[in-house]
Amino acid sequence: DSMKKILPYLLLPLLSIFISSCSLTTTEGTLLISSQPGKAQVYINGKLKDNTPGRKGKSLSVNLPTGHYKIELIKPRSNREEYYSSQSISIIDGIEKSLSIPLKLRTTSAFRQKLLDTIGKVIIEPIMVQIPAGTFNMGCVSDIECIRNEKPVHHVTINEFMLSKHELTFNEWDTCVAQGGCSHYPDDYKFGRGNRPVLNVSWEDAQQYISWLNQQTGKLYRLASEAEWEYAARAGTATPFNTGQCLSTEMANYDGDIPLKGCEKGKDRKQTLEVGSFQGNQWGLHDMHGNVWEWTQDCWDSDYNNAPTDGSALELENCPKRMLRGGGWNYRGSYNRSAIRYDYSNTLRLENLGFRLAL
């Protein structure tokens, strides 16, 4: 009887050790982290843990107690750019979780602060022009140096909307970068920044800017559809350019060494010019021909057989390419016509790709 009374007290320490042992083996999980590119600094809840391996197929192993964590990966590239990614995860008892994380380029916080000190915090909204409702024939109506994708010519009805008077400028873009709304700081190719059109931005970059601007202003800025863009560029004309049969380099910035067939040669400035350097079209829009190509909302299609006739953008389920309009500073005359259309990958950045905003 005495032993029966004492036995539970003798077993309690052993039971406590057993429970403690079980607890130690079931309250942690393992996180395996790799990154592209490798050798990135790994921060977990703000604390630096280690670097991801540089070799493909290798991972950094970290044991973590059960819980929720914010994982951040940073790899410096220059004084103004770094590779970065962030995501939240949950760690479960005894579970091994693998993360293979692609890193994207963004501007560093120190560089954004330097920009803020230079350009300030004021949001620059574009000057918008009211475009009247109407109908027009879309496509190559002049039959001069037409391209197959500009056919068939079709009748389109446009509702009233607004389009920015100028192409988006570096001043406007750099404000977004400075305030952390845009992750990409585009090269200006030594043309200059300020009031020149922003370039070297992709369609996806443009969407990031629009999302930030809408959040700041409470408005619904967007890219124009192809139909809206051509309607606004023509401004009631049915000639190759809104200036008539020919486009002088005193009216637009393009490669004047190769003008449209039958037109006189002009200048090849080999760079962009400040927005609004030339007279606007009949509706007060500047640089609808030349300077930089402008992204629109439409998905690429090889012709107009399936084109909307209500002025809306063509959206497809699979849409790796979007449409560009208006030509650019380094393109010949025929590639600066009102009807010209070009397609590029959503993620492509070049020295002649920019955009303007619709509302």
Side-chain angles (χ1 to χ4, degrees):
D1 289 344
S2 297
M3 284 301 295
K4 286 180 181 178
K5 291 178 180 179
I6 296 171
L7 190 59
Y9 295 99
L10 295 174
L11 291 175
L12 276 174
L14 295 174
L15 184 61
S16 176
I17 293 170
F18 176 75
I19 292 171
S20 177
S21 175
C22 290
S23 177
L24 286 172
T25 59
T26 59
T27 58
E28 282 192 349
T30 302
L31 184 61
L32 302 176
I33 308 172
S34 61
S35 66
Q36 301 85 41
K39 296 185 178 179
Q41 299 167 342
V42 178
Y43 290 83
I44 299 179
N45 286 352
K47 293 183 178 180
L48 178 63
K49 289 293 182 179
D50 205 337
N51 294 344
T52 58
R55 289 179 58 190
K56 191 175 181 180
K58 299 292 183 179
S59 299
L60 171 67
S61 179
V62 182
N63 292 325
L64 294 170
T66 298
H68 304 288
Y69 298 90
K70 182 179 180 181
I71 311 297
E72 292 179 287
L73 276 70
I74 301 174
K75 182 176 182 178
R77 187 193 191 204
S78 67
N79 65 341
R80 67 174 172 84
E81 281 187 323
E82 62 189 7
Y83 290 98
Y84 178 82
S85 183
S86 171
Q87 59 181 278
S88 297
I89 63 159
S90 296
I91 296 295
I92 304 171
D93 294 356
I95 299 296
E96 184 176 276
K97 178 175 284 190
S98 294
L99 291 180
S100 180
I101 303 176
L103 307 182
K104 292 186 176 181
L105 280 174
R106 71 169 189 177
T107 50
T108 64
S109 57
F111 187 77
R112 289 200 302 271
Q113 184 58 52
K114 186 178 178 181
L115 272 181
L116 272 176
D117 294 342
T118 303
I119 63 179
K121 298 181 180 180
V122 178
I123 306 299
I124 308 171
E125 283 198 69
I127 300 169
M128 304 301 288
V129 174
Q130 193 75 41
I131 307 300
T135 59
F136 80 114
N137 287 324
M138 183 175 180
C140 192
V141 295
S142 65
D143 289 326
I144 300 174
E145 296 199 48
C146 297
I147 297 175
R148 179 179 171 273
N149 67 26
E150 300 165 8
K151 298 284 187 175
V153 173
H154 55 291
H155 204 59
V156 180
T157 299
I158 303 290
N159 293 322
E160 188 178 60
F161 71 105
M162 300 185 84
L163 194 64
S164 59
K165 185 174 183 176
H166 304 121
E167 295 161 329
L168 196 86
T169 66
F170 270 106
N171 273 339
E172 293 167 302
W173 183 274
D174 288 347
T175 301
C176 180
V177 174
Q179 296 192 23
C182 296
S183 57
H184 173 53
Y185 184 76
D187 193 342
D188 61 15
Y189 295 89
K190 297 183 179 179
F191 298 163
R193 302 179 85 81
N195 211 35
R196 290 179 188 249
V198 68
L199 45 78
N200 193 32
V201 289
S202 69
W203 185 89
E204 290 187 357
D205 293 331
Q207 296 300 321
Q208 188 179 44
Y209 178 87
I210 290 167
S211 177
W212 170 81
L213 186 62
N214 287 344
Q215 187 177 34
Q216 299 300 312
T217 63
K219 297 179 182 178
L220 295 174
Y221 288 104
R222 59 180 175 83
L223 294 179
S225 69
E226 268 202 279
E228 288 174 331
W229 193 98
E230 185 173 325
Y231 175 71
R234 289 188 178 281
T237 64
T239 46
F241 311 100
N242 56 44
T243 57
Q245 293 297 124
C246 293
L247 181 70
S248 163
T249 54
E250 299 307 311
M251 300 173 178
N253 184 27
Y254 73 99
D255 183 359
D257 286 338
I258 315 174
L260 187 70
K261 188 185 298 182
C263 299
E264 292 184 1
K265 283 189 176 184
K267 300 175 183 176
D268 178 9
R269 297 179 177 90
K270 301 185 185 299
Q271 62 178 308
T272 59
L273 294 178
E274 288 194 357
V275 299
S277 292
F278 305 99
Q279 186 176 341
N281 71 1
Q282 293 85 334
W283 289 345
L285 300 167
H286 295 257
D287 301 307
M288 297 299 283
H289 302 304
N291 229 9
V292 291
W293 287 92
E294 299 175 16
W295 290 106
T296 66
Q297 185 62 28
D298 295 62
C299 295
W300 161 248
D301 202 358
S302 59
D303 54 41
Y304 282 138
N305 285 317
N306 299 313
T309 58
D310 61 356
S312 62
L314 177 67
E315 293 283 9
L316 302 173
E317 187 174 341
N318 181 28
C319 187
K321 293 182 177 182
R322 299 282 176 165
M323 298 307 306
L324 290 152
R325 286 303 199 122
W329 61 269
N330 58 346
Y331 273 73
R332 65 175 65 196
S334 64
Y335 275 77
N336 286 270
R337 293 173 295 111
S338 296
I340 195 68
R341 56 197 303 259
Y342 215 81
D343 65 295
Y344 269 138
S345 164
N346 299 349
T347 59
L348 189 68
R349 296 166 176 160
L350 290 175
E351 73 278 8
N352 53 22
L353 302 186
F355 64 101
R356 76 175 69 218
L357 297 177
L359 184 65

